[in-house]
Amino acid sequence: MQRRSLCEISHLRTIFQLQWYIPSCHFSSDTEDVPYADVPKPNQRQERKPYPTPMKVLIWRAKEEKKARRENPCQILNPPDNGLLVPELVEVAHEVNQARELVLDGLVKLIGVVVPVNRCRFCSEVHVGHSGHEIRTCTGPKSGLRSATHVWRKGGIDDVMYFPHCYHLYDRVGKPRIGHKERFQVRRLPAILELCIQAGLDLEDYPAKRRTRPIYAIDGRIIDFEIEKEEADNDKELCNESDGKTRIGSESGLSSTELSERTLESWLQMREGTRMLMKRYYVNTCGYCPEVQVGSKGHKVRACKAARHQFRKGLHAWQEATLDDLIGPNYVWHVRDPQGPPLANELKRYYGKAPAVVELCVQAGAPVPKEYKSMMRLDVVPPHRDEIDLVT
């Protein structure tokens, strides 16, 4: 048996360490190059959200930044860290805002008119279809007396798509943290809209400071050379021009199929544009509750009521946010035949899931997107109720 050399041992050790940094992904057996996607498991109330970036990578980045500050106390920051906008992302911010308006306008016309939406009276379960399902997954009060069955009532837009709110920052670099005493003085708005504003979208109701000179970091302190408050009139003109350009509510003569296809396309465009913005602009979320804050750091408002908030004195445990934290997908069971019988509890392992917006548009006539085909389990044929004992 040959002994391995020191170079081979060190090489194997490096490969083993890199496995902690590479996320695992499963690929489908189809010829299409579409990764297999499954519904993420919900976290328990006592558990913290998983970190998008491994903790080892975060520690390594902090050490490298500290080492760089020691070698060069005066650091030249790149946009958007230096207070300036990223030119190539300004148009993306406008497109995300327009796609968000298109999705909301499309849902107003689809919900209740084309496809009904039901919500459980005691828990947060949502079902898209004419009749609620019979799957016993209710976790609300007195669910044990009802054998965990849901009690359905009529739902709305907030049940299909959820945008968490955050505090608006006039200057995202000057004073990015909001204190507890300032919680009633600062306005709140949807976090995705705040992200677009920080990326270059100008709205009259939510003004933002636009710098013409970059800031510098000297020994960890921010040096700002901006003296006067300058307003970007050109950006406001672009914002005013793009406000009424692509509103779906102003168009008439669209069938339900065309309306659902446009809504689904806007949903995918909104998520893709938001993913691009989140690569350059910081978005933080609490590790235990759905609170979100767009900016380099989270706020200091003592309003967390999740697990272990007593040890933090009500402060949020901030960490890097994901796309689902900014745009709540709200997964629902997929219904293949809207006119058929309701989903049975005995066959729940054969049913797939999808975001409520995707399920609503698919039932209205839109084609199923490639990235959600595996999640909806379209390749699985569920048996009948009388055949469940014969399936192994």
Side-chain angles (χ1 to χ4, degrees), residues 165-187:
H165 285 60
C166 71
Y167 290 97
H168 172 59
L169 299 179
Y170 171 74
D171 186 5
R172 60 183 177 84
V173 179
K175 187 182 179 182
R177 307 200 75 175
I178 299 174
H180 184 71
K181 296 182 180 180
E182 303 173 353
R183 64 187 185 278
F184 299 117
Q185 303 174 4
V186 183
R187 300 179 63 181

Short mmCIF file of all heavy atoms in Angstrom, two decimals, residues 165-187:
data_model
loop_
_atom_site.label_atom_id
_atom_site.label_comp_id
_atom_site.label_asym_id
_atom_site.label_seq_id
_atom_site.Cartn_x
_atom_site.Cartn_y
_atom_site.Cartn_z
N HIS A 165 -42.60 45.26 5.27
CA HIS A 165 -42.30 46.68 5.32
C HIS A 165 -41.01 46.93 6.09
O HIS A 165 -40.59 46.12 6.93
CB HIS A 165 -43.46 47.46 5.97
CG HIS A 165 -44.64 47.61 5.06
ND1 HIS A 165 -45.33 46.55 4.56
CD2 HIS A 165 -45.24 48.73 4.56
CE1 HIS A 165 -46.33 46.98 3.79
NE2 HIS A 165 -46.30 48.29 3.78
N CYS A 166 -40.41 48.07 5.80
CA CYS A 166 -39.18 48.48 6.50
C CYS A 166 -39.20 50.00 6.64
O CYS A 166 -40.09 50.68 6.10
CB CYS A 166 -37.93 48.00 5.74
SG CYS A 166 -37.64 48.87 4.19
N TYR A 167 -38.23 50.55 7.34
CA TYR A 167 -38.12 51.99 7.54
C TYR A 167 -37.43 52.63 6.35
O TYR A 167 -36.47 52.07 5.79
CB TYR A 167 -37.34 52.31 8.82
CG TYR A 167 -38.08 51.96 10.08
CD1 TYR A 167 -37.83 50.76 10.74
CD2 TYR A 167 -39.03 52.82 10.62
CE1 TYR A 167 -38.51 50.43 11.89
CE2 TYR A 167 -39.72 52.49 11.78
CZ TYR A 167 -39.45 51.30 12.41
OH TYR A 167 -40.13 50.97 13.55
N HIS A 168 -37.91 53.81 5.98
CA HIS A 168 -37.32 54.53 4.85
C HIS A 168 -36.11 55.33 5.33
O HIS A 168 -36.17 56.04 6.34
CB HIS A 168 -38.34 55.47 4.22
CG HIS A 168 -37.77 56.38 3.17
ND1 HIS A 168 -37.14 55.91 2.04
CD2 HIS A 168 -37.71 57.75 3.10
CE1 HIS A 168 -36.73 56.92 1.31
NE2 HIS A 168 -37.06 58.04 1.92
N LEU A 169 -35.01 55.24 4.59
CA LEU A 169 -33.78 55.95 4.90
C LEU A 169 -33.59 57.08 3.90
O LEU A 169 -33.47 56.83 2.70
CB LEU A 169 -32.57 55.00 4.85
CG LEU A 169 -32.58 53.82 5.82
CD1 LEU A 169 -31.33 52.97 5.63
CD2 LEU A 169 -32.69 54.29 7.25
N TYR A 170 -33.57 58.32 4.42
CA TYR A 170 -33.30 59.46 3.54
C TYR A 170 -31.85 59.44 3.06
O TYR A 170 -31.57 59.68 1.88
CB TYR A 170 -33.61 60.77 4.28
CG TYR A 170 -33.17 62.00 3.53
CD1 TYR A 170 -33.88 62.45 2.41
CD2 TYR A 170 -32.03 62.71 3.92
CE1 TYR A 170 -33.48 63.57 1.71
CE2 TYR A 170 -31.62 63.83 3.21
CZ TYR A 170 -32.34 64.26 2.12
OH TYR A 170 -31.94 65.37 1.42
N ASP A 171 -30.93 59.14 3.95
CA ASP A 171 -29.52 59.04 3.61
C ASP A 171 -29.05 57.66 4.05
O ASP A 171 -28.88 57.41 5.24
CB ASP A 171 -28.72 60.14 4.30
CG ASP A 171 -27.26 60.17 3.85
OD1 ASP A 171 -26.91 59.40 2.95
OD2 ASP A 171 -26.48 60.97 4.40
N ARG A 172 -28.86 56.76 3.12
CA ARG A 172 -28.51 55.38 3.45
C ARG A 172 -27.08 55.23 3.90
O ARG A 172 -26.70 54.16 4.41
CB ARG A 172 -28.76 54.47 2.25
CG ARG A 172 -27.96 54.83 1.03
CD ARG A 172 -28.32 53.92 -0.14
NE ARG A 172 -27.62 54.29 -1.35
CZ ARG A 172 -26.39 53.90 -1.66
NH1 ARG A 172 -25.75 53.11 -0.82
NH2 ARG A 172 -25.82 54.27 -2.77
N VAL A 173 -26.24 56.26 3.75
CA VAL A 173 -24.84 56.19 4.16
C VAL A 173 -24.57 57.06 5.38
O VAL A 173 -23.79 56.69 6.26
CB VAL A 173 -23.92 56.60 2.99
CG1 VAL A 173 -22.46 56.55 3.41
CG2 VAL A 173 -24.14 55.68 1.80
N GLY A 174 -25.22 58.23 5.46
CA GLY A 174 -24.94 59.15 6.56
C GLY A 174 -25.32 58.60 7.91
O GLY A 174 -24.50 58.49 8.82
N LYS A 175 -26.60 58.21 8.07
CA LYS A 175 -27.07 57.63 9.33
C LYS A 175 -27.95 56.45 8.99
O LYS A 175 -29.18 56.55 8.92
CB LYS A 175 -27.85 58.67 10.14
CG LYS A 175 -28.22 58.16 11.54
CD LYS A 175 -29.03 59.18 12.31
CE LYS A 175 -29.41 58.65 13.68
NZ LYS A 175 -30.24 59.59 14.44
N PRO A 176 -27.35 55.27 8.77
CA PRO A 176 -28.14 54.12 8.30
C PRO A 176 -28.95 53.43 9.39
O PRO A 176 -29.79 52.59 9.06
CB PRO A 176 -27.07 53.19 7.75
CG PRO A 176 -25.85 53.50 8.55
CD PRO A 176 -25.93 54.96 8.87
N ARG A 177 -28.73 53.74 10.67
CA ARG A 177 -29.42 53.03 11.75
C ARG A 177 -30.43 53.95 12.42
O ARG A 177 -30.15 55.11 12.73
CB ARG A 177 -28.43 52.50 12.79
CG ARG A 177 -27.30 51.68 12.19
CD ARG A 177 -26.64 50.80 13.22
NE ARG A 177 -27.48 49.67 13.56
CZ ARG A 177 -27.07 48.69 14.38
NH1 ARG A 177 -25.88 48.73 14.93
NH2 ARG A 177 -27.87 47.68 14.64
N ILE A 178 -31.61 53.43 12.65
CA ILE A 178 -32.71 54.16 13.26
C ILE A 178 -32.85 53.70 14.70
O ILE A 178 -32.94 52.50 14.97
CB ILE A 178 -34.01 53.94 12.48
CG1 ILE A 178 -33.84 54.45 11.05
CG2 ILE A 178 -35.19 54.63 13.16
CD1 ILE A 178 -35.02 54.14 10.16
N GLY A 179 -32.88 54.65 15.63
CA GLY A 179 -32.99 54.33 17.05
C GLY A 179 -34.40 53.99 17.46
O GLY A 179 -35.37 54.17 16.70
N HIS A 180 -34.53 53.50 18.69
CA HIS A 180 -35.84 53.09 19.18
C HIS A 180 -36.76 54.29 19.37
O HIS A 180 -37.98 54.18 19.15
CB HIS A 180 -35.66 52.35 20.51
CG HIS A 180 -36.95 51.81 21.06
ND1 HIS A 180 -37.61 50.74 20.50
CD2 HIS A 180 -37.70 52.21 22.13
CE1 HIS A 180 -38.72 50.49 21.19
NE2 HIS A 180 -38.79 51.36 22.18
N LYS A 181 -36.23 55.45 19.73
CA LYS A 181 -37.05 56.63 19.94
C LYS A 181 -37.51 57.25 18.62
O LYS A 181 -38.42 58.09 18.64
CB LYS A 181 -36.28 57.66 20.76
CG LYS A 181 -35.95 57.18 22.18
CD LYS A 181 -35.22 58.26 22.95
CE LYS A 181 -34.89 57.79 24.37
NZ LYS A 181 -34.18 58.84 25.14
N GLU A 182 -36.91 56.88 17.54
CA GLU A 182 -37.26 57.44 16.25
C GLU A 182 -38.23 56.57 15.46
O GLU A 182 -38.49 56.84 14.28
CB GLU A 182 -35.99 57.65 15.40
CG GLU A 182 -34.96 58.54 16.05
CD GLU A 182 -33.66 58.58 15.25
OE1 GLU A 182 -33.54 57.81 14.27
OE2 GLU A 182 -32.77 59.36 15.62
N ARG A 183 -38.77 55.53 16.08
CA ARG A 183 -39.57 54.56 15.34
C ARG A 183 -40.88 55.15 14.84
O ARG A 183 -41.43 54.67 13.85
CB ARG A 183 -39.85 53.35 16.22
CG ARG A 183 -40.68 53.62 17.46
CD ARG A 183 -40.74 52.38 18.34
NE ARG A 183 -41.61 52.53 19.49
CZ ARG A 183 -41.27 53.12 20.62
NH1 ARG A 183 -40.05 53.65 20.75
NH2 ARG A 183 -42.13 53.22 21.63
N PHE A 184 -41.40 56.19 15.51
CA PHE A 184 -42.65 56.80 15.07
C PHE A 184 -42.41 58.03 14.18
O PHE A 184 -43.37 58.59 13.65
CB PHE A 184 -43.51 57.21 16.27
CG PHE A 184 -43.91 56.05 17.13
CD1 PHE A 184 -43.49 55.96 18.45
CD2 PHE A 184 -44.69 55.03 16.63
CE1 PHE A 184 -43.86 54.88 19.26
CE2 PHE A 184 -45.06 53.95 17.42
CZ PHE A 184 -44.64 53.88 18.73
N GLN A 185 -41.17 58.44 14.03
CA GLN A 185 -40.86 59.61 13.22
C GLN A 185 -40.47 59.25 11.79
O GLN A 185 -40.48 60.12 10.92
CB GLN A 185 -39.72 60.41 13.87
CG GLN A 185 -40.02 60.85 15.29
CD GLN A 185 -38.83 61.51 15.95
OE1 GLN A 185 -37.79 61.71 15.33
NE2 GLN A 185 -38.98 61.86 17.23
N VAL A 186 -40.11 58.00 11.55
CA VAL A 186 -39.68 57.55 10.23
C VAL A 186 -40.79 56.74 9.60
O VAL A 186 -41.39 55.87 10.25
CB VAL A 186 -38.37 56.72 10.33
CG1 VAL A 186 -37.89 56.32 8.94
CG2 VAL A 186 -37.30 57.49 11.07
N ARG A 187 -41.07 57.01 8.35
CA ARG A 187 -42.14 56.32 7.64
C ARG A 187 -41.69 54.92 7.24
O ARG A 187 -40.50 54.65 7.04
CB ARG A 187 -42.55 57.11 6.41
CG ARG A 187 -43.06 58.50 6.72
CD ARG A 187 -43.42 59.23 5.45
NE ARG A 187 -44.51 58.57 4.74
CZ ARG A 187 -45.00 59.00 3.58
NH1 ARG A 187 -44.50 60.08 3.00
NH2 ARG A 187 -45.98 58.34 2.99
#
